Amino acid sequence: MEGAAEVLFSSWITEAARAAVLSGRGHGDAGVRAAERARLLASRSTNAGKKIEPRLASRHAEWMAEVAGAEEETGPLGWFFLQRLGMFVDAHSSVFLDEADSNRLRELSAPDEEAVAHAMASQGIPTPPPPEWPAVKEATPPGKVIARIGILGDPHIGLDFANRLIPAAIEDLNRENVDLSVTIGDLTQNGQDASFAAAKKILDGFDHPVALTLGNHDMWGGGDEPAGLERFTRHFSRKPFEVIEGNGVRLIALNSAIPQASPFPPFEMTAGRFTDEPNESVPGGRFSDEVKEWVQTLESDGPTFIALHHPPYPYLGLPPVLFGLDEESTQVLSDLLERTGAWGIICGHTHRSALYDLKGVPVIEVPCPKEWPFAYGVIDVSDEGWAFNLKPVTDRSLVEEGSSRTNVLFRRYARGPDEARASVFFRKGS
Ligand SMILES: [Fe+2]
Ligand SMILES: [Fe+2]
C-alpha cells in the first residue's frame, strides 16, 4: 500500500476530477491545466502498473463538486478547496515522479495558488453559518423492534473538545436504552499512553456492552515505533476485534488499522503543505493475518452487523482509494458478508455521513461526534429489517461551541445525503 502505483493512481483520480469540477465551477483555465496534469499522471500511473479507471474519476468528481459547491454557495472557499487538492497531489506524487514531471506539475498548478489567495483576500473568508442540524424525518423499521445498537463514531479522545463531547454522546446513548454499542476506531487522537488512559475512563461510561476497534490515529503514539496496539491491549485488556450480542442480534467489530509508518508527514490542508509533526500510520486500512484467520471462524448466526474503521474499496473521498480499506481486505469483508448473511456494515474514519453498498449490503459511514453535526447513530433492528438514524447530541451548548468553528465547506462535506442520516432497510426475503 502507498507504493508508487497506488499514489500515482490516486493522484490521477484527483486531477481528472479537478479538471471536470474546476471547469464546471467557472475556473476554465485552471480546469485545462488540471486536465494536462491528469494526462501526465495517467501515463505515470499506467507505467507504474496501475491502469486508469475513468468511472472512478467520474464518481470522485461527483463528490468533489458536491463539497466545493457553486460560487454562490461557498464563495472563494470552494475554489480554495479545489486548489488545495492540487497541492495535495503535488506534495504526495512528487516522491514517485522524476524531477521534470514533478516540475511540470507544479508549473501547471502555480498560477492557481496566487489566484485563490487573491480571491480570498478580496472577497474575504465566509464566516461559519449559525448552528444548524441537518434535520430529516426519523426512520422507523418495519415490524417489531428486537434490539437497538448504538454507534459512536471516531471519538479522538485526547483533544480537548472531544474529551467534553464524547461523554455527552455516551450519556445520550445510555438514555436511548440501546442494548449494545460499538465505537468504530480512532479512539484516541494520537495513540499516546495518556490518551488511551483517558479513553478507557470515558468509554467506561457506557452502561451496556460496547465493542471497540481501532483506527489509524490509535496506531503510532509519538515515538519511533508503533505503540498503539500494545497500549490499547494494556488499558482495555481485550483485542480490537470481537463479537458482542444483545437480544439475539450480533455485532462483529473488525480491526482494520495497521501499524505501518506512512511515507509522508501529516498534510495540513489549509496551508497546502506537509507539517513538521511526526510521521504517523498510513491512513489506509488492511486486515492483519490474525483478523483474517479469526473471521474464518464466523458463520451465519441470526441478525448480524459488521463494524470497522475503514470504508471498503474503492473509497472515493479524499484522498481517493488510498484512504480506505484496500482491495484484498475488501474481498475478505465481502466473503464474510456472504458467510454470515450480515444485514449492514458500519464504518468511521471519514468524519462524514455516506450510504452505499458492498455486494448489495448497505454500508453506512458515521461521522465523528466531535465534529459537525455532532452526532451519534442508532440502529433499530426488527424481525423484518432495520432502521438507521443519526442523532444530534442533546447538549446544545457543545453543539453551538463546535458549530461556531465549522465552515460551510466542512458542513457540505460531512452532511451527506438525507438517506445516509435516516434510512430503513428491509431484510432480504421479508
Ligand atoms: Fe477519525
Ligand atoms: Fe481514521
Side-chain angles (χ1 to χ4, degrees), residues 5 9 26-27 39 58 62 67 88 98 113 238 293 339:
F9 183 62
H27 313 289
R39 283 194 294 278
S58 314
E62 277 170 34
V67 177
F88 185 96
D98 68 27
E113 189 176 357
R238 63 207 284 185
E293 273 166 37
R339 235 180 13 261

PDB file of all heavy atoms in Angstrom, residues 5 9 26-27 39 58 62 67 88 98 113 238 293 339:
ATOM      1  N   ALA A   5       2.549   3.007  -7.569  1.00  0.00           N
ATOM      2  CA  ALA A   5       1.352   2.815  -8.393  1.00  0.00           C
ATOM      3  C   ALA A   5       0.116   3.363  -7.689  1.00  0.00           C
ATOM      4  O   ALA A   5      -0.696   4.078  -8.298  1.00  0.00           O
ATOM      5  CB  ALA A   5       1.171   1.335  -8.714  1.00  0.00           C
ATOM      6  N   PHE A   9      -1.939   6.553  -8.984  1.00  0.00           N
ATOM      7  CA  PHE A   9      -3.319   6.264  -9.380  1.00  0.00           C
ATOM      8  C   PHE A   9      -4.287   7.189  -8.643  1.00  0.00           C
ATOM      9  O   PHE A   9      -5.170   7.816  -9.234  1.00  0.00           O
ATOM     10  CB  PHE A   9      -3.624   4.797  -9.058  1.00  0.00           C
ATOM     11  CG  PHE A   9      -4.990   4.329  -9.483  1.00  0.00           C
ATOM     12  CD1 PHE A   9      -5.364   4.327 -10.816  1.00  0.00           C
ATOM     13  CD2 PHE A   9      -5.910   3.869  -8.534  1.00  0.00           C
ATOM     14  CE1 PHE A   9      -6.625   3.877 -11.210  1.00  0.00           C
ATOM     15  CE2 PHE A   9      -7.165   3.416  -8.917  1.00  0.00           C
ATOM     16  CZ  PHE A   9      -7.525   3.425 -10.253  1.00  0.00           C
ATOM     17  N   GLY A  26     -16.519  27.260 -13.297  1.00  0.00           N
ATOM     18  CA  GLY A  26     -16.184  28.533 -13.942  1.00  0.00           C
ATOM     19  C   GLY A  26     -14.718  28.910 -13.872  1.00  0.00           C
ATOM     20  O   GLY A  26     -14.348  30.040 -14.170  1.00  0.00           O
ATOM     21  N   HIS A  27     -13.859  27.969 -13.461  1.00  0.00           N
ATOM     22  CA  HIS A  27     -12.416  28.249 -13.439  1.00  0.00           C
ATOM     23  C   HIS A  27     -11.790  27.531 -14.638  1.00  0.00           C
ATOM     24  O   HIS A  27     -11.023  26.572 -14.480  1.00  0.00           O
ATOM     25  CB  HIS A  27     -11.788  27.766 -12.139  1.00  0.00           C
ATOM     26  CG  HIS A  27     -12.554  28.166 -10.908  1.00  0.00           C
ATOM     27  ND1 HIS A  27     -12.600  29.469 -10.460  1.00  0.00           N
ATOM     28  CD2 HIS A  27     -13.328  27.447 -10.060  1.00  0.00           C
ATOM     29  CE1 HIS A  27     -13.364  29.526  -9.365  1.00  0.00           C
ATOM     30  NE2 HIS A  27     -13.823  28.311  -9.112  1.00  0.00           N
ATOM     31  N   ARG A  39      -3.406  14.015 -17.468  1.00  0.00           N
ATOM     32  CA  ARG A  39      -2.836  13.191 -18.551  1.00  0.00           C
ATOM     33  C   ARG A  39      -1.440  12.693 -18.176  1.00  0.00           C
ATOM     34  O   ARG A  39      -1.104  11.528 -18.383  1.00  0.00           O
ATOM     35  CB  ARG A  39      -2.784  13.987 -19.861  1.00  0.00           C
ATOM     36  CG  ARG A  39      -4.152  14.090 -20.547  1.00  0.00           C
ATOM     37  CD  ARG A  39      -4.019  14.571 -21.982  1.00  0.00           C
ATOM     38  NE  ARG A  39      -3.524  15.938 -22.081  1.00  0.00           N
ATOM     39  CZ  ARG A  39      -4.294  17.035 -21.957  1.00  0.00           C
ATOM     40  NH1 ARG A  39      -5.593  16.908 -21.757  1.00  0.00           N
ATOM     41  NH2 ARG A  39      -3.772  18.240 -22.052  1.00  0.00           N
ATOM     42  N   SER A  58     -15.007   9.752 -12.416  1.00  0.00           N
ATOM     43  CA  SER A  58     -16.340  10.385 -12.511  1.00  0.00           C
ATOM     44  C   SER A  58     -17.012  10.392 -11.147  1.00  0.00           C
ATOM     45  O   SER A  58     -17.607  11.392 -10.743  1.00  0.00           O
ATOM     46  CB  SER A  58     -17.265   9.633 -13.467  1.00  0.00           C
ATOM     47  OG  SER A  58     -16.606   9.339 -14.635  1.00  0.00           O
ATOM     48  N   GLU A  62     -18.076  13.702  -8.786  1.00  0.00           N
ATOM     49  CA  GLU A  62     -19.400  13.994  -8.201  1.00  0.00           C
ATOM     50  C   GLU A  62     -19.249  14.427  -6.750  1.00  0.00           C
ATOM     51  O   GLU A  62     -19.852  15.382  -6.284  1.00  0.00           O
ATOM     52  CB  GLU A  62     -20.287  12.737  -8.233  1.00  0.00           C
ATOM     53  CG  GLU A  62     -20.982  12.518  -9.541  1.00  0.00           C
ATOM     54  CD  GLU A  62     -21.635  11.151  -9.601  1.00  0.00           C
ATOM     55  OE1 GLU A  62     -22.117  10.661  -8.555  1.00  0.00           O
ATOM     56  OE2 GLU A  62     -21.634  10.567 -10.706  1.00  0.00           O
ATOM     57  N   VAL A  67     -18.982  18.883  -2.583  1.00  0.00           N
ATOM     58  CA  VAL A  67     -18.311  19.575  -1.470  1.00  0.00           C
ATOM     59  C   VAL A  67     -17.974  21.017  -1.861  1.00  0.00           C
ATOM     60  O   VAL A  67     -18.253  21.950  -1.108  1.00  0.00           O
ATOM     61  CB  VAL A  67     -17.021  18.832  -1.026  1.00  0.00           C
ATOM     62  CG1 VAL A  67     -16.306  19.604   0.075  1.00  0.00           C
ATOM     63  CG2 VAL A  67     -17.347  17.417  -0.552  1.00  0.00           C
ATOM     64  N   PHE A  88      -2.163  19.014  -2.629  1.00  0.00           N
ATOM     65  CA  PHE A  88      -2.057  17.690  -2.010  1.00  0.00           C
ATOM     66  C   PHE A  88      -1.429  16.712  -3.015  1.00  0.00           C
ATOM     67  O   PHE A  88      -0.518  15.948  -2.688  1.00  0.00           O
ATOM     68  CB  PHE A  88      -3.458  17.206  -1.596  1.00  0.00           C
ATOM     69  CG  PHE A  88      -3.475  15.911  -0.844  1.00  0.00           C
ATOM     70  CD1 PHE A  88      -3.504  15.895   0.541  1.00  0.00           C
ATOM     71  CD2 PHE A  88      -3.464  14.691  -1.522  1.00  0.00           C
ATOM     72  CE1 PHE A  88      -3.514  14.687   1.245  1.00  0.00           C
ATOM     73  CE2 PHE A  88      -3.476  13.486  -0.834  1.00  0.00           C
ATOM     74  CZ  PHE A  88      -3.500  13.488   0.556  1.00  0.00           C
ATOM     75  N   ASP A  98       9.854  11.716 -11.585  1.00  0.00           N
ATOM     76  CA  ASP A  98      11.180  12.302 -11.781  1.00  0.00           C
ATOM     77  C   ASP A  98      11.046  13.830 -11.725  1.00  0.00           C
ATOM     78  O   ASP A  98       9.933  14.371 -11.705  1.00  0.00           O
ATOM     79  CB  ASP A  98      11.848  11.783 -13.065  1.00  0.00           C
ATOM     80  CG  ASP A  98      11.153  12.260 -14.329  1.00  0.00           C
ATOM     81  OD1 ASP A  98      10.520  13.332 -14.285  1.00  0.00           O
ATOM     82  OD2 ASP A  98      11.243  11.557 -15.351  1.00  0.00           O
ATOM     83  N   GLU A 113      -2.562  28.974  -7.176  1.00  0.00           N
ATOM     84  CA  GLU A 113      -2.302  29.331  -5.777  1.00  0.00           C
ATOM     85  C   GLU A 113      -2.414  30.845  -5.596  1.00  0.00           C
ATOM     86  O   GLU A 113      -3.064  31.332  -4.671  1.00  0.00           O
ATOM     87  CB  GLU A 113      -0.926  28.818  -5.332  1.00  0.00           C
ATOM     88  CG  GLU A 113      -0.717  28.976  -3.841  1.00  0.00           C
ATOM     89  CD  GLU A 113       0.588  28.393  -3.332  1.00  0.00           C
ATOM     90  OE1 GLU A 113       1.332  27.792  -4.131  1.00  0.00           O
ATOM     91  OE2 GLU A 113       0.857  28.542  -2.126  1.00  0.00           O
ATOM     92  N   ARG A 238      -8.312  -6.318  26.174  1.00  0.00           N
ATOM     93  CA  ARG A 238      -9.098  -7.042  25.165  1.00  0.00           C
ATOM     94  C   ARG A 238      -8.460  -6.838  23.803  1.00  0.00           C
ATOM     95  O   ARG A 238      -7.535  -6.045  23.654  1.00  0.00           O
ATOM     96  CB  ARG A 238     -10.539  -6.526  25.155  1.00  0.00           C
ATOM     97  CG  ARG A 238     -10.625  -5.062  24.751  1.00  0.00           C
ATOM     98  CD  ARG A 238     -11.830  -4.380  25.320  1.00  0.00           C
ATOM     99  NE  ARG A 238     -13.043  -4.745  24.616  1.00  0.00           N
ATOM    100  CZ  ARG A 238     -14.239  -4.183  24.874  1.00  0.00           C
ATOM    101  NH1 ARG A 238     -14.351  -3.250  25.818  1.00  0.00           N
ATOM    102  NH2 ARG A 238     -15.316  -4.538  24.214  1.00  0.00           N
ATOM    103  N   GLU A 293      -7.681 -14.732   9.851  1.00  0.00           N
ATOM    104  CA  GLU A 293      -7.904 -16.103  10.357  1.00  0.00           C
ATOM    105  C   GLU A 293      -9.132 -16.149  11.248  1.00  0.00           C
ATOM    106  O   GLU A 293      -9.945 -17.058  11.179  1.00  0.00           O
ATOM    107  CB  GLU A 293      -6.683 -16.582  11.150  1.00  0.00           C
ATOM    108  CG  GLU A 293      -5.644 -17.216  10.259  1.00  0.00           C
ATOM    109  CD  GLU A 293      -4.318 -17.377  10.979  1.00  0.00           C
ATOM    110  OE1 GLU A 293      -4.334 -17.678  12.199  1.00  0.00           O
ATOM    111  OE2 GLU A 293      -3.275 -17.173  10.324  1.00  0.00           O
ATOM    112  N   ARG A 339     -20.816 -15.190   4.075  1.00  0.00           N
ATOM    113  CA  ARG A 339     -20.838 -16.308   5.038  1.00  0.00           C
ATOM    114  C   ARG A 339     -21.791 -16.052   6.196  1.00  0.00           C
ATOM    115  O   ARG A 339     -22.452 -16.954   6.676  1.00  0.00           O
ATOM    116  CB  ARG A 339     -19.425 -16.531   5.565  1.00  0.00           C
ATOM    117  CG  ARG A 339     -18.956 -17.928   5.365  1.00  0.00           C
ATOM    118  CD  ARG A 339     -17.572 -18.261   5.839  1.00  0.00           C
ATOM    119  NE  ARG A 339     -16.892 -17.343   6.694  1.00  0.00           N
ATOM    120  CZ  ARG A 339     -15.976 -16.462   6.278  1.00  0.00           C
ATOM    121  NH1 ARG A 339     -15.657 -16.382   5.007  1.00  0.00           N
ATOM    122  NH2 ARG A 339     -15.384 -15.670   7.128  1.00  0.00           N
TER     123      ARG A 339
END
